[in-house]
Amino acid sequence: MSIRKVRKAVFPVGGLGTRFLPATKAMPKEMLPVVDKPLIQYAVEEARAAGIEEFIFVTGRGKSAIEDHFDQSYELQEQLESKNKQEELAAIAEWLPAAGAVAYTRQMEPLGLGHAVWCARNLVGGEPFAVLLADDLVLSDKPCLKQMTEAYEETGGNVVAVMDVPREHTNRYGILDPGPTSGSLVEVKGLVEKPDPELAPSTLSIIGRYVLQPEVFEYLEKRERGAGNEIQLTDALAAQIGVSPFHGLRFEGERFDCGDKAGFLRANIAFALEREDLREDVQSFVNNYATEG
Ligand code: G1P
């Protein structure tokens, strides 16, 4: 079996972000910063570190700040240059994808994650691709998507990043019915979107990182509705079981669900503690505030 390289990544960024109102009233939720970097930039940098060459955003109304973020900002650059602010210049430009490496398409109706991914079908074409949900932020030595593409180079087929969650949280995620395990890989026997805790086949949940074969578009094309009356990516993947290899990867690292307020706050603290310029200050604040509180 020849395994084709993953060159393209899809970033569904059309969601409304109602859980973060009022912060997201006029700003995309993907632009919320963890320390000083928007969530979407973490996702794009992670994709690039995994060898991704083309970045496909599925946007929606009110998301133009994301396009502006991944573009030059001449006025700001000129000002910083005239003041010789090299560090700041690097902070706004050195991570920009090359011209022509970014494409945007719009999900015109909010019909679910599966529909958002389907909107990217013509830009993806007939090759394997990654999907990254910016809400899920992973702190790890080796970028999570890199761990996945390495696993994929061994297994082929579809690969999803998985982790155990408390049973009472199974109704927030796609949950695996796990088959045999080999090291950090687990075969996917079944997959169900947001099952009630008492019905969940396990507590192994999908996080927002996928390596997918283009055949998934064939199922999405049918526009079948699933959980929450939405077109679910999970259902399209479940239909691939038995058709091509399908594995869950227990990735190394800590995942923060930044779609959730507490998860977002935890991410800010954890990422700040990773930073030399902030560690001491934040650490002492956390220690003292907790004891005083
Ligand atoms: C989506 C997927 C779900 C997955 C989750 C990861 O759910 O549908 O299967 O577990 O992302 O964050 P959403 O967060 O869009 O409700």
Side-chain angles (χ1 to χ4, degrees), residues 28-286:
K29 64 173 175 160
E30 297 78 11
M31 289 300 292
L32 288 169
V34 167
V35 183
D36 52 10
K37 199 191 282 187
L39 284 168
I40 188 64
Q41 190 181 334
Y42 285 98
V44 165
E45 288 183 359
E46 181 183 326
R48 189 172 11 204
I52 297 298
E53 297 160 15
E54 291 184 34
F55 306 83
I56 301 163
F57 292 79
V58 183
T59 71
R61 273 189 295 280
K63 298 283 181 163
S64 54
I66 296 177
E67 294 183 39
D68 291 340
H69 190 70
F70 291 99
D71 194 1
Q72 304 278 0
S73 44
Y74 289 108
E75 283 173 10
L76 182 57
Q77 271 165 251
E78 262 173 38
Q79 291 223 13
L80 294 173
E81 264 157 25
S82 70
K83 292 183 182 138
N84 198 26
K85 298 212 169 220
Q86 295 304 326
E87 230 175 273
E88 290 81 355
L89 271 168
I92 62 162
E94 69 175 4
W95 43 268
L96 281 179
V102 186
Y104 299 92
T105 188
R106 272 196 184 200
Q107 181 184 20
M108 291 153 76
E109 303 162 274
L111 299 180
L113 178 61
H115 178 256
V117 170
W118 179 76
C119 289
R121 69 201 176 282
N122 292 335
L123 294 164
V124 169
E127 55 180 289
F129 64 104
V131 176
L132 293 96
L133 307 184
D135 277 359
D136 278 318
L137 185 55
V138 182
L139 183 58
S140 56
D141 291 336
K142 187 185 280 186
C144 182
L145 190 66
K146 174 89 179 143
Q147 298 177 39
M148 294 176 71
T149 52
E150 286 180 1
Y152 162 77
E153 278 156 23
E154 302 292 321
T155 62
N158 296 309
V159 180
V160 291
V162 296
M163 61 177 280
D164 275 302
V165 293
R167 186 161 275 276
E168 64 269 26
H169 291 171
T170 58
N171 56 4
R172 298 183 186 178
Y173 304 109
I175 301 290
L176 255 60
D177 183 359
T181 293
S182 158
S184 50
L185 282 170
V186 48
E187 267 180 48
V188 181
K189 257 191 359 198
L191 206 56
V192 42
E193 181 66 12
K194 301 194 172 77
D196 284 338
E198 60 274 19
L199 300 175
S202 77
T203 55
L204 210 48
S205 89
I206 304 181
I207 71 152
R209 297 290 181 280
Y210 308 76
V211 172
L212 303 179
Q213 298 302 309
E215 285 72 28
V216 73
F217 292 125
E218 289 164 21
Y219 180 93
L220 291 172
E221 187 83 39
K222 298 182 196 163
R223 298 170 68 100
E224 277 179 22
R225 304 291 184 119
N229 198 29
E230 293 189 343
I231 301 171
Q232 295 290 353
L233 183 59
T234 300
D235 296 342
L237 294 178
Q240 296 295 307
I241 294 168
V243 179
S244 52
F246 193 173
H247 293 89
L249 174 72
R250 291 178 189 270
F251 61 98
E252 272 167 36
E254 181 146 11
R255 175 275 202 128
F256 297 91
D257 182 353
C258 293
D260 172 75
K261 282 183 197 118
F264 175 73
L265 294 171
R266 278 199 287 270
N268 268 286
I269 295 168
F271 276 72
L273 290 173
E274 289 294 306
R275 289 262 299 250
E276 253 169 51
D277 56 335
L278 297 172
R279 185 182 303 131
E280 217 177 300
D281 192 332
V282 174
Q283 184 75 68
S284 92
F285 172 76
V286 170

